[in-house]
Amino acid sequence: MSKTDDGLIDVFTGEEIDLRDGADSCYKCSACDVSCPVAEVDDEFPGPKFQGPEQWRLKRQEDTDIDESVMKCSNCMRCDGACPSDVPLSEMHNTARGEYVAEHMSKLSREYWRNRILANYGTLARIGSKVPRLTNLVMGSRVTQWANEKLLGITSEREFPEFAREPFTEWWAQRGGAAASKERAREARAERGGANVQSEEKRVAYFHGDYANYNTPEVAKAMVRVFEHYGYEVVVPDQRCSGTPMFANGMLEDAKRAAKFNVDTLSDLIDEGYDIVASCTSCSMALRQEYPELFQFSDTERVAAHTYEALEYLRIHESVREDVAAAEVAFEDIAYHAPCHARNQGLDRQAVELFGEVDGMAIEDVGDSCSGISGTYGWKAENYETSMKIGEEMFDHMDSAEGETGMTECPTCAMQMEHGTGYDIRHPLELLEAAVVE
């Protein structure tokens, strides 16, 4: 990063982002600090107010150093929702992390390479998924976990997520891809309204993300089957990581490359009449908020405007709530956690509302606390204990809930929920598929 002649911060060459007005809108009410789960349990963390507007003001006074504590920010983005003045806090944090990594972190340090590996999980997943049984055996070994902690600083307390034997994209291709989906959607529309029903509107492009592709393809399959059930033609475009772990680790150049690829691909589909849906709330958050905040290339805003979380999209366009209420299916009682990135999009109650009227099933929201893992944050050895302290409130609420099955839209929140309680964790789309798809 560098300063331009007029005092703006040049995040990327030729791309100017001016956050001075946002910094000046902060009147130090500290609502963001109160909302911060890291500051709540870590007395040494200065909080989002310092990381955002206060550091930005210092930069205007030619103090160009970024405090290293910015790397302790978990990127939960709860501070954005807490601020009464709409200060762009997470945007400030993301740019500050990017500058700290680019200018102050040694590229030979263990921390840099550990963070680079975690930020680019999709690259490793593509390799590991080629031989999933061997990868699972090696990564599940206590020796490997010990070595990862000693050599890279990746905590040995967590079990590495297993790779599926068949990634979602392989299943999608073998199933017939977009052509097969179009036919299934046409048949579903015909059942509802007659054989001559046509639709130029029921088209969605699925942004599945790396985790649903390589680790939990059952979630991605459920998404496809549910949307086809409601008559939607699904396409699965070539895509790269949404960039969420890259933002959180200050790898903004990596995030920029991924975002540019995704925006170019998705904007072409928007031209063809497709909306974009994501099954992970962090992915939809990246496309909707972080892309337009951080990147100025063409069509970023348009992609953001056409992106939805999957349940959100169905609740807007279909009678999904009534269909679930009428379903004759037995569900276990559920303890539901709303991810921070769902709350930031106003989606924190949608799963409770969707399944709340199912006969014989109790679904309980386990509170508004953060799960604590925040993507890659809780995988770092130095953050593990902090992440578990943050998650204690959620764990306690889950333990006192009637159900012993958890539910959330976020894959890493699911890891933390299972890690802290031992509960089996489901995605809402899996339950929705069981309820409405015959």
Side-chain angles (χ1 to χ4, degrees):
M1 286 186 189
S2 61
K3 275 201 171 183
T4 62
D5 292 339
D6 58 0
L8 278 69
I9 304 300
D10 192 6
V11 182
F12 298 112
T13 302
E15 297 180 9
E16 296 174 354
I17 297 179
D18 185 6
L19 297 177
R20 290 174 298 181
D21 290 343
D24 290 340
S25 296
C26 173
Y27 54 87
K28 300 187 178 182
C29 69
S30 297
C32 58
D33 288 343
V34 173
S35 74
C36 177
V38 179
E40 183 177 2
V41 301
D42 184 353
D43 292 336
E44 296 182 359
F45 182 66
K49 181 176 67 176
F50 172 78
Q51 303 296 349
E54 291 187 4
Q55 284 208 101
W56 212 263
R57 289 183 183 118
L58 290 174
K59 287 188 68 60
R60 292 167 60 188
Q61 299 171 8
E62 304 302 326
D63 182 349
T64 58
D65 286 340
I66 298 293
D67 192 90
E68 64 181 359
S69 63
V70 73
M71 299 305 293
K72 284 286 190 178
C73 168
S74 69
N75 199 39
C76 71
M77 303 171 71
R78 293 169 73 95
C79 53
D80 280 349
C83 180
S85 299
D86 294 326
V87 175
L89 288 154
S90 63
E91 183 178 1
M92 291 176 171
H93 301 157
N94 279 330
T95 55
R97 271 194 300 273
E99 179 170 343
Y100 180 80
V101 170
E103 299 185 6
H104 300 287
M105 183 180 285
S106 170
K107 305 307 180 289
L108 300 177
S109 66
R110 181 180 81 161
E111 182 183 10
Y112 175 82
W113 284 104
R114 186 270 312 276
N115 291 359
R116 192 78 188 267
I117 289 169
L118 291 175
N120 289 277
Y121 171 76
T123 300
L124 297 177
R126 280 192 293 276
I127 299 171
S129 66
K130 300 296 184 184
V131 283
R133 288 186 232 188
L134 177 59
T135 303
N136 293 338
L137 179 65
V138 172
M139 297 305 295
S141 165
R142 294 302 299 175
V143 174
T144 302
Q145 293 171 351
W146 175 86
N148 280 340
E149 180 160 326
K150 296 301 180 184
L151 297 176
L152 294 172
I154 297 174
T155 181
S156 61
E157 296 294 328
R158 298 188 185 277
E159 294 185 4
F160 194 84
E162 290 192 351
F163 290 112
R165 295 187 179 182
E166 181 185 54
F168 163 70
T169 48
E170 289 186 10
W171 172 86
W172 171 256
Q174 293 173 5
R175 187 173 181 260
S181 181
K182 183 175 182 178
E183 180 60 23
R184 288 184 172 90
R186 187 198 64 78
E187 292 173 356
R189 294 195 300 267
E191 289 180 6
R192 282 178 164 78
N196 294 323
V197 170
Q198 299 292 325
S199 176
E200 296 298 323
E201 298 178 356
K202 288 200 165 190
R203 296 176 174 178
V204 295
Y206 178 31
F207 192 91
H208 50 72
D210 291 325
Y211 201 80
N213 187 28
Y214 297 114
N215 299 94
T216 56
E218 62 275 7
V219 172
K221 293 175 186 178
M223 186 276 169
V224 168
R225 290 172 180 142
V226 167
F227 271 76
E228 289 176 350
H229 170 80
Y230 282 102
Y232 288 88
E233 301 172 13
V234 181
V235 296
V236 178
D238 290 338
Q239 57 194 261
R240 296 182 183 173
C241 174
S242 68
T244 297
M246 300 169 190
F247 298 135
N249 287 283
M251 306 294 173
L252 291 189
E253 287 295 340
D254 291 346
K256 182 185 179 184
R257 286 190 291 271
K260 184 65 167 63
F261 181 92
N262 291 333
V263 167
D264 287 347
T265 302
L266 296 173
S267 62
D268 288 343
L269 289 168
I270 292 171
D271 290 339
E272 297 176 26
Y274 289 87
D275 286 323
I276 304 145
V277 294
S279 53
C280 170
T281 47
S282 292
C283 288
S284 59
M285 189 76 180
L287 271 63
R288 293 168 99 164
Q289 178 174 329
E290 289 169 305
Y291 282 14
E293 282 183 346
L294 295 169
F295 308 122
Q296 307 301 310
F297 36 74
S298 178
D299 290 325
T300 305
E301 293 279 0
R302 196 160 70 102
V303 167
H306 283 268
T307 297
Y308 301 82
E309 191 276 333
L311 287 187
E312 173 194 23
Y313 194 84
L314 290 172
R315 292 188 71 200
I316 291 171
H317 296 286
E318 305 297 334
S319 60
V320 61
R321 187 172 179 180
E322 293 79 3
D323 295 344
V324 169
E328 297 181 1
V329 60
F331 286 125
E332 297 177 333
D333 293 338
I334 295 290
Y336 171 72
H337 167 74
C340 294
H341 290 174
R343 295 180 182 281
N344 294 348
Q345 297 172 80
L347 305 177
D348 49 301
R349 291 289 299 173
Q350 65 172 5
V352 174
E353 293 171 355
L354 181 58
F355 295 102
E357 298 178 11
V358 176
D359 287 339
M361 170 190 174
I363 179 168
E364 184 173 342
D365 189 330
V366 295
D368 63 358
S369 59
C370 177
S371 75
I373 193 169
S374 292
T376 63
Y377 175 86
W379 278 88
K380 300 173 184 178
E382 69 271 22
N383 296 340
Y384 174 74
E385 292 299 332
T386 301
S387 78
M388 295 303 287
K389 287 179 182 177
I390 294 171
E392 281 181 1
E393 183 177 342
M394 181 191 71
F395 302 148
D396 290 343
H397 285 170
M398 289 183 68
D399 287 340
S400 63
E402 292 185 27
E404 293 188 0
T405 298
M407 182 170 69
T408 188
E409 294 95 332
C410 174
T412 54
C413 286
M415 292 179 199
Q416 181 82 328
M417 294 166 76
E418 183 177 8
H419 183 64
T421 65
Y423 289 7
D424 180 41
I425 312 299
R426 308 294 300 280
H427 191 287
L429 283 169
E430 295 179 272
L431 272 67
L432 183 57
E433 179 190 18
V436 303
V437 181
E438 297 179 358

